[in-house]
């Protein structure tokens, strides 16, 4: 089993920064951050291959968001800079134990409870 607990959400003005954290337990091949805005589908934002730290990003966040991990602490991070109002969403940490390429968003089957990010203009 994999357990995921997110923290670090909050409210920030446009142009600001936030860092999300996800404490993980259990073996994983890939970990990722997803987000879901009201009335929208959940979308993959960033992913990381946990054994080599290879990273993948959605076009909408490239150059602004950075996914990283601290393997000693079993913690995943999402550093979000230059935040925009359209980044407002519930953000979820996700994982898959044995998967294919980490940017295949449909394979993720372990989820955290989510943390809210609100960006005002």
């Amino acid at each position: 089993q994999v357990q995921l607990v997110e923290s670090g959400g909050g409210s920030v003005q446009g142009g600001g920064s936030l860092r999300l954290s996800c404490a993980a337990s259990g073996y994983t091949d890939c970990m990722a951050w997803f987000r879901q805005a009201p009335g929208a589908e959940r979308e993959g934002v960033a992913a990381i291959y946990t054994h080599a730290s290879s990273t993948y990003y959605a076009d909408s966040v490239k150059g602004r968001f950075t996914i990283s991990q601290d393997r000693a602490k079993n913690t995943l991070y999402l550093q979000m800079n230059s935040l925009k109002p359209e980044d407002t969403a519930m953000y979820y940490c996700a994982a898959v134990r044995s998967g294919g390429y980490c940017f295949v968003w449909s394979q993720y089957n372990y989820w955290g409870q989510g943390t809210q990010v609100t960006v005002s203009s």
Side-chain angles (χ1 to χ4, degrees), residues 6 32-36 42 90-94 111-114:
E6 302 101 332
W33 291 96
F34 287 71
R35 66 186 181 187
Q36 187 168 21
R42 190 174 295 186
M90 185 71 80
Y91 282 72
Y92 298 90
C93 177
W111 297 89
Q113 80 286 357

Side-chain angles (χ1 to χ4, degrees), residues 47-66:
I48 189 167
Y49 178 57
T50 59
H51 309 297
S53 293
S54 304
T55 57
Y56 312 89
Y57 296 93
D59 288 343
S60 58
V61 305
K62 277 181 184 175
R64 300 188 299 122
F65 291 11
T66 303

Side-chain angles (χ1 to χ4, degrees), residues 83-95:
L83 282 161
K84 304 174 181 180
E86 51 263 44
D87 295 317
T88 295
M90 185 71 80
Y91 282 72
Y92 298 90
C93 177

Side-chain angles (χ1 to χ4, degrees), residues 9-92:
S11 297
V12 65
Q13 284 194 326
S17 299
L18 282 174
R19 188 176 81 157
L20 306 183
S21 299
C22 173
S25 64
Y27 175 90
T28 62
D29 275 350
C30 300
M31 295 189 72
W33 291 96
F34 287 71
R35 66 186 181 187
Q36 187 168 21
E41 293 187 357
R42 190 174 295 186
E43 62 170 343
V45 171
I48 189 167
Y49 178 57
T50 59
H51 309 297
S53 293
S54 304
T55 57
Y56 312 89
Y57 296 93
D59 288 343
S60 58
V61 305
K62 277 181 184 175
R64 300 188 299 122
F65 291 11
T66 303
I67 188 171
S68 62
Q69 63 176 346
D70 183 330
R71 296 179 68 180
K73 295 182 179 179
N74 270 357
T75 301
L76 180 73
Y77 301 101
L78 184 68
Q79 178 66 43
M80 304 184 293
N81 298 329
S82 301
L83 282 161
K84 304 174 181 180
E86 51 263 44
D87 295 317
T88 295
M90 185 71 80
Y91 282 72
Y92 298 90

Side-chain angles (χ1 to χ4, degrees), residues 84-115:
K84 304 174 181 180
E86 51 263 44
D87 295 317
T88 295
M90 185 71 80
Y91 282 72
Y92 298 90
C93 177
V96 58
R97 297 193 72 173
S98 297
Y101 293 109
C102 294
F103 54 79
V104 177
W105 307 114
S106 59
Q107 68 182 326
Y108 288 85
N109 55 356
Y110 292 97
W111 297 89
Q113 80 286 357
T115 185

